[in-house]
Amino acid sequence: MRKILVPTDFSEESKNAYEVALAIARKINAEIVLLHTIEMPYNSTFSTTGENTSDGMEQVYMLHLLENVKRDMNKFKNAFPYEGLHVTEAVDVSRLHSKVNNLVQEQGIDLIVMGSKGASGLQEILIGSNTEKVVRTATCPVLTVKDRQQHFEPREIVVASDFKREIKGAMQRFKSLQEMFGAKLHLVYVNTPSAFENSLNLQQRLVQLAEDHNLQNYSVNIFNDVTEEDGILHFAYNIKADLIMMATHGRTGLSHLLSGSIAEDIVNHTTTPVLTFHLR
């Protein structure tokens, strides 16, 4: 892991994410890229690179806006000491999740650390959030942060999954983060009434996966609850987890509306930092 992207809207939540990114970067001497995007109206005469295609007051407004953003970005960058680390800034006129995906490919981003306010009710169903869109579409791991983690040093990490074949693609990344912080990994399968499985079979599946990946310092857990989301949240609360890690299929469009996403629900409804990783 050599490069960390931190999208920011200059909110307290994004400042919390930046502080966590700095803590991780110090562990591995990684570079941090701070990103702020400006979403212009659809009828704007500005291109996605910030170039003006017409004269007039709109150009003056855009130049003034960019000056303010650059000032705010510099203030944000210096909110915490970063001596010894390479921190760069990027400002773009585009949709956030599109620019994030472009930067991941162009700059070889290894991790996105992003603040989240969460969402609930009708807002969650109809609108969602920028963080949800990034979690759903990013091709690298995304760590979402809500509350301030002044000394981000996770010791108890939950890995929630069905632990079928697809999870193997994410386990090495999860293991690397565990080793980085010297944390204990708690593998948990949530057994629900609607998808109940034999506990002995589940236990064997989890133990086999741990052996396949040569995991150290871990526990295997079968947790009963009404829904997967409730089970993950309740288990994490019971063990006082510092971090929840999950793999997601990143469905979009109609399939996302019909099936939903447990990972996105967890991101919305917990104050514990959540790391998500695409399986596709």
Side-chain angles (χ1 to χ4, degrees):
M1 191 184 296
R2 289 293 174 260
K3 192 170 285 193
I4 301 171
L5 177 65
V6 182
T8 176
D9 58 2
F10 310 125
S11 64
E12 283 301 311
E13 288 81 7
S14 58
K15 190 181 293 184
N16 295 339
Y18 178 37
E19 190 172 18
V20 167
L22 286 169
I24 297 173
R26 288 192 185 96
K27 282 275 187 184
I28 55 176
N29 193 30
E31 176 185 346
I32 292 178
V33 179
L34 300 177
L35 170 68
H36 178 78
T37 60
I38 304 169
E39 294 192 23
M40 298 298 289
Y42 286 111
N43 62 352
S44 170
T45 54
F46 285 92
S47 71
T48 55
T49 58
E51 297 172 347
N52 183 255
T53 56
S54 71
D55 297 322
M57 288 301 295
E58 193 171 7
Q59 184 175 14
V60 175
Y61 167 76
M62 189 62 180
L63 291 173
H64 180 68
L65 179 60
L66 287 173
E67 287 177 3
N68 288 338
V69 167
K70 289 177 181 177
R71 185 190 65 242
D72 291 341
M73 182 69 92
N74 188 61
K75 182 179 178 182
F76 183 89
K77 177 180 177 180
N78 292 286
F80 305 104
Y82 61 90
E83 290 83 357
L85 294 176
H86 186 44
V87 180
T88 58
E89 306 159 36
V91 177
D92 200 281
V93 182
S94 62
R95 293 184 179 275
L96 177 63
H97 66 282
S98 298
K99 184 60 181 178
V100 165
N101 289 337
N102 288 340
L103 282 179
V104 168
Q105 298 301 320
E106 294 168 4
Q107 297 198 25
I109 300 296
D110 300 298
L111 173 68
I112 299 166
V113 184
M114 191 170 182
S116 173
K117 292 181 174 67
S120 60
L122 190 61
Q123 179 190 25
E124 182 179 3
I125 296 171
L126 298 180
I127 302 173
S129 68
N130 278 323
T131 305
E132 281 187 73
K133 292 174 185 175
V134 172
V135 167
R136 196 179 309 151
T137 61
T139 55
C140 71
V142 180
L143 176 60
T144 55
V145 180
K146 289 181 184 173
D147 295 346
R148 188 180 183 193
Q149 312 289 320
Q150 192 167 359
H151 303 288
F152 185 68
E153 194 80 19
R155 297 301 185 191
E156 307 294 334
I157 299 178
V158 172
V159 173
S161 174
D162 59 9
F163 298 100
K164 293 181 180 177
R165 183 165 51 188
E166 294 96 327
I167 189 65
K168 294 181 179 180
M171 280 307 301
Q172 198 57 43
R173 302 235 185 179
F174 294 161
K175 181 182 176 183
S176 296
L177 199 65
Q178 174 206 15
E179 292 173 346
M180 183 192 306
F181 288 100
K184 184 173 183 178
L185 214 57
H186 300 272
L187 308 181
V188 59
Y189 179 100
V190 178
N191 221 357
T192 64
S194 61
F196 186 81
E197 289 196 46
N198 179 277
S199 295
L200 180 59
N201 292 340
L202 291 173
Q203 186 89 7
Q204 292 173 343
R205 186 192 304 170
L206 271 65
V207 168
Q208 185 62 55
L209 180 133
E211 292 176 353
D212 289 345
H213 291 273
N214 194 29
L215 294 185
Q216 305 294 322
N217 191 23
Y218 70 94
S219 70
V220 167
N221 307 271
I222 313 301
F223 194 84
N224 297 324
D225 215 316
V226 178
T227 67
E228 289 91 343
E229 180 192 343
D230 286 344
I232 295 166
L233 293 175
H234 293 157
F235 179 80
Y237 176 81
N238 285 350
I239 69 162
K240 298 180 174 60
D242 304 302
L243 177 65
I244 299 171
M245 299 198 294
M246 301 182 65
T248 173
H249 289 280
R251 296 184 179 91
T252 59
L254 183 61
S255 64
H256 173 259
L257 291 174
L258 294 176
S259 64
S261 167
I262 296 173
E264 289 172 35
D265 289 341
I266 296 296
V267 167
N268 273 329
H269 300 146
T270 183
T271 57
T272 303
V274 181
L275 181 81
T276 56
F277 178 72
H278 272 224
L279 291 174
R280 58 182 184 177

